[in-house]
Amino acid sequence: MVIKITNTEEMRAIEAAADEAGISYQTMMERAGQAAAERALQLIEHLSDPRVTVLIGPGNNGGDGLVTGLLIKQANEAADVRFYLLTERPEDDPYIPVIHEVGLFTALASDDGDKRVLRNMVASSDLVIDALFGIGIRLPLRDEAAKVLRAVRRGLLDREKEHKEAETWSINPAQAPSEAGSGVKILAIDGPSGLDFDTGQIDTTALTADETVTFIAAKYGQLLFPGAQSVGQLTVANLGIPDKVKELKSIEATLLDAATVADLLPARNQDSNKGTFGKAMIVAGSVNYVGAANLAARSAYRSGVGLVSVASARPVAGMLAAATPEATWVLLPHDMGVVSDGATDMFFEEIGKYSALLIGPGMGQEDTTQRFLFQVLDHNRKQAVPKRRGLGFANLPPANDTEDDKAEASELPPLVIDADGLNMLSKEDEWWKHLPENTILTPHPGEMARLTGLSIEEVQKDRFGIVSEKAKEWNTIILLKGAHTLIAEPKGRVTALPFKNDALATAGTGDVLAGLIVGLLAQGMAPYDAACAGAYLHAFAGEFAAQALGPRSVIASDVIDALSSAFKALTPA
Ligand SMILES: NC(=O)C1=CN([C@@H]2O[C@H](COP(=O)(O)OP(=O)(O)OC[C@H]3O[C@@H](n4cnc5c(N)ncnc54)[C@H](OP(=O)(O)O)[C@@H]3O)[C@@H](O)[C@H]2O)[C@@H](O)CC1
Ligand SMILES: Nc1ncnc2c1ncn2[C@@H]1O[C@H](COP(=O)(O)OP(=O)(O)O)[C@@H](O)[C@H]1O
Ligand SMILES: [K+]
């Protein structure tokens, strides 16, 4: 299943087309309620008599909530399901009579002036389902809606306080008996009410959901901050909308999923040797930033590439060689530990043997390094250079290579530019004119700000718009890092990652990402696919590392160590 990302206008058009194709609005609502109920039942399955409060709004989001509540009760007779209505439902609502028939408790906000009933309902709940507003909202929230959400927050605080008072002290908080099963969960239908589904802006009274179940497609606002912070874990239920609905099919923005990444990864041939899986060259490191090259090289190796070489100033290689025994080295001429003029010639003697190239991590931004970068980018690719051997620690004969003098054909292999490489680009006017086709740039928001001349806030506010526009303007692949990393290419495709994980917000994880991408590129993946798969596996590894170590303590090396778990989970033996 390919998961699309839409704005609300596109979603309305898809709904109408699905209705036209024979899936009525009511059918969609019932399937939406079914999907939300499935998640809700999982959230309460450990409780013997769970109490569930469903907040119901006036529109279809409220309708989804009514179906959800009814289905929870149907599936779990022991559940105490009660509804809190912001306003009277429309006269023709088909679900209200059923709720009365089944005898479930309902309260109406206008009968609950001080919202004490609501506060008590929430304070005694194990699960609160937020079905007040979905994509039909127009901010700001009106008074009564804001009052209801504030009362819910007070109810949640009451619950927390009661729990704290009941607490038992223990030297290990995880062992305190009252900790187990204490928290009330919040499940948002389509998103926390108060979220702007197009921009990610969110009303200050909105609840912070543990989980959101959304329908047919993800919405931009669920992936943009600050709103994304309150969305929690996102599930997308496609509601059986057929692929032929062209309003859905034509959407170019997608949310990447594990199955898609697994399909992208190159197959592994058993009858192989290290030459089979490509060779990655990493130009990285300088005396002040030694570790970057190491992280990138180790990460590249974990991607399954046959060989990784690091080209770096000689003293850097000297410091790192023992830490990455698998890497081979190309020792570039240097001045005080920074590559010097002359490095370019040596680079071109070597590069013909490699199937992918990464330039940038930890290189510094000295003038000579900048010259080196642009000479590499501007190299006359037809120019032959005389062959010379004996560089580096390993005088590497290309494994199983029948044409071992590829140095003659010194065309650049597929290229990734990261970190200082990007910073050096941004110092030059119209730098994008120097890039070979299909180059992958991997800026974080700060580097993107430098490349675009915008502020970081401007970049973050319109991540999708800016990354798509610049990929076209610069005719290159851009991977914009951060929570919900985006990858865009000139032809209009844009892919978002589902991950937001503060465990990755630690120095060096960017080098790990760049190494992983160049490793995949070297194995022959198409550049856009390598960027997407690399970003996914990197963030997925971050999830494994966070699970094992807790997000606070994860460091970049842990992400490298967790890469094998990520690969194994995607492609089980
Ligand atoms: N997309 C899909 O495929 C599917 C969509 N489905 C579901 O439909 C949902 C969209 O439903 P929807 O269009 O009825 O809008 P909804 O979010 O319920 O809100 C509208 C109500 O809110 C009110 N209201 C608005 N702003 C307000 C404010 N600031 N403060 C206070 N009130 C405000 C507004 O009042 P009005 O402005 O009309 O006076 C109106 O009454 C969608 O999110 C999903 O859950 C599924 O059933 C199936 C598949
Ligand atoms: N909160 C977050 N959620 C998901 N991914 C994150 C988050 N913070 C950082 N990352 C990821 O971690 C990496 C950080 O890279 P970068 O900022 O270049 O760090 P460094 O230069 O120190 O290596 C990127 O892949 C980025 O997408
Ligand atoms: K909602």
Side-chain angles (χ1 to χ4, degrees):
M1 164 183 169
V2 177
I3 304 160
K4 304 283 185 157
I5 305 168
T6 71
N7 61 32
T8 51
E9 195 185 326
E10 289 164 337
M11 185 44 62
R12 295 296 188 199
I14 294 163
E15 276 177 323
D19 181 55
E20 195 116 309
I23 303 174
S24 70
Y25 282 92
Q26 184 163 351
T27 303
M28 283 188 268
M29 185 179 284
E30 279 167 15
R31 291 180 183 173
Q34 174 81 42
E38 274 167 25
R39 280 310 306 153
L41 287 162
Q42 278 169 17
L43 289 172
I44 55 175
E45 70 186 352
H46 61 292
L47 301 169
S48 52
D49 49 356
R51 291 156 300 177
V52 181
T53 296
V54 195
L55 310 171
I56 301 294
N60 289 336
N61 195 252
D64 294 350
L66 294 173
V67 177
T68 305
L70 278 168
L71 291 175
I72 293 171
K73 183 68 189 171
Q74 205 177 75
N76 183 345
E77 184 49 40
D80 174 9
V81 179
R82 50 269 174 108
F83 298 89
Y84 192 88
L85 276 54
L86 177 64
T87 60
E88 297 274 10
R89 291 286 301 165
E91 290 254 301
D92 58 351
D93 184 302
Y95 307 111
I96 293 291
V98 186
I99 284 168
H100 290 319
E101 204 174 301
V102 181
L104 298 178
F105 177 82
T106 60
L108 182 63
S110 58
D111 297 337
D112 181 26
D114 58 5
K115 306 289 172 279
R116 203 160 290 208
V117 172
L118 174 58
R119 188 167 163 175
N120 287 335
M121 282 169 78
V122 171
S124 63
S125 290
D126 303 298
L127 174 66
V128 173
I129 298 179
D130 174 1
L132 289 174
F133 310 108
I135 61 172
I137 200 166
R138 283 179 312 280
L139 293 177
L141 282 180
R142 285 170 220 149
D143 250 10
E144 183 71 349
K147 261 190 207 150
V148 161
L149 285 170
R150 277 197 288 270
V152 173
R153 284 166 162 266
R154 279 197 294 274
L156 293 170
L157 286 176
D158 293 346
R159 170 78 195 235
E160 204 176 294
K161 208 165 132 218
E162 182 191 321
H163 164 59
K164 278 211 176 111
E165 278 161 7
E167 228 164 40
T168 310
W169 184 85
S170 161
I171 196 163
N172 177 353
Q175 285 171 355
S178 57
E179 198 64 28
S182 60
V184 44
K185 294 281 183 205
I186 299 180
L187 174 69
I189 299 205
D190 223 5
S193 301
L195 174 69
D196 181 316
F197 285 77
D198 288 332
T199 65
Q201 292 309 302
I202 187 162
D203 194 278
T204 50
T205 56
L207 305 176
T208 303
D210 295 288
E211 295 211 14
T212 287
V213 180
T214 195
F215 313 112
I216 303 177
K219 320 296 180 300
Y220 288 107
Q222 294 160 341
L223 306 174
L224 291 167
F225 286 79
Q229 183 80 30
S230 301
V231 165
Q233 185 185 305
L234 185 66
T235 301
V236 185
N238 112 316
L239 308 186
I241 309 297
D243 286 345
K244 66 174 191 233
V245 172
K246 73 171 193 311
E247 287 76 359
L248 182 59
K249 202 174 169 186
S250 62
I251 300 285
E252 295 216 86
T254 58
L255 187 68
L256 197 53
D257 66 290
T260 304
V261 176
D263 283 347
L264 292 177
L265 292 176
R268 305 248 332 152
N269 176 3
Q270 295 284 294
D271 181 20
S272 46
N273 59 58
K274 64 179 180 282
T276 316
F277 300 122
K279 296 173 190 171
M281 158 83 85
I282 295 175
V283 185
S286 57
V287 274
N288 292 326
Y289 308 98
V290 176
N294 190 1
L295 291 169
R298 286 170 52 221
S299 172
Y301 262 125
R302 291 280 183 213
S303 76
V305 68
L307 180 125
V308 181
S309 279
V310 181
S312 201
R314 183 180 286 268
V316 176
M319 286 185 256
L320 286 180
T324 316
E326 299 86 354
T328 61
W329 300 84
V330 175
L331 306 182
L332 297 176
H334 72 101
D335 184 12
M336 309 278 284
V338 169
V339 290
S340 62
D341 294 328
T344 322
D345 287 348
M346 187 171 287
F347 169 84
F348 276 108
E349 286 168 21
E350 292 294 310
I351 192 61
K353 301 176 208 152
Y354 294 87
S355 47
L357 169 65
L358 162 64
I359 303 185
M363 275 190 94
Q365 301 176 45
E366 307 293 329
D367 289 349
T368 47
T369 316
Q370 167 115 354
R371 265 200 301 282
F372 168 82
L373 173 66
F374 279 91
Q375 278 166 5
V376 167
L377 295 177
D378 294 341
H379 177 71
N380 174 348
R381 294 171 195 179
K382 295 285 180 293
Q383 182 187 326
V385 280
K387 230 168 63 171
R388 201 172 64 186
R389 295 245 156 245
L391 300 167
F393 297 151
N395 177 11
L396 182 84
N400 204 29
D401 241 331
T402 46
E403 14 160 17
D404 76 346
D405 58 353
K406 280 189 192 150
E408 306 281 329
S410 55
E411 189 160 322
L412 284 186
L415 173 64
V416 186
I417 306 180
D418 183 40
D420 281 333
L422 300 169
N423 294 327
M424 290 187 285
L425 285 183
S426 64
K427 290 181 188 170
E428 203 83 16
D429 287 340
E430 301 200 321
W431 51 266
W432 54 92
K433 296 193 170 159
H434 299 262
L435 299 180
E437 211 172 332
N438 286 320
T439 297
I440 302 169
L441 308 181
T442 55
H444 59 53
E447 289 155 350
M448 190 63 176
R450 266 168 245 143
L451 290 168
T452 54
L454 299 168
S455 68
I456 294 178
E457 293 68 34
E458 285 167 321
V459 169
Q460 292 296 71
K461 209 168 161 203
D462 184 21
R463 283 169 62 86
F464 281 91
I466 286 168
V467 79
S468 303
E469 179 196 322
K470 293 300 171 187
K472 277 180 204 147
E473 185 185 327
W474 300 338
N475 192 31
T476 195
I477 296 166
I478 307 173
L479 183 154
L480 178 56
K481 294 194 274 202
H484 297 306
T485 287
L486 303 180
I487 304 110
E489 46 103 58
K491 285 192 188 133
R493 261 192 304 177
V494 56
T495 302
L497 292 199
F499 303 100
K500 45 190 174 206
N501 181 355
D502 59 288
L504 290 173
T506 177
T509 52
D511 307 322
V512 175
L513 173 67
L516 188 55
I517 295 174
V518 78
L520 294 171
L521 257 187
Q523 291 169 69
M525 286 184 79
Y528 191 75
D529 293 349
C532 288
Y536 192 98
L537 284 150
H538 174 260
F540 198 26
E543 299 283 320
F544 280 98
Q547 237 165 48
L549 306 167
R552 194 180 295 269
S553 303
V554 170
I555 59 174
S557 298
D558 300 323
V559 180
I560 298 176
D561 292 343
L563 279 173
S564 67
S565 302
F567 275 103
K568 275 197 319 199
L570 284 198
T571 50

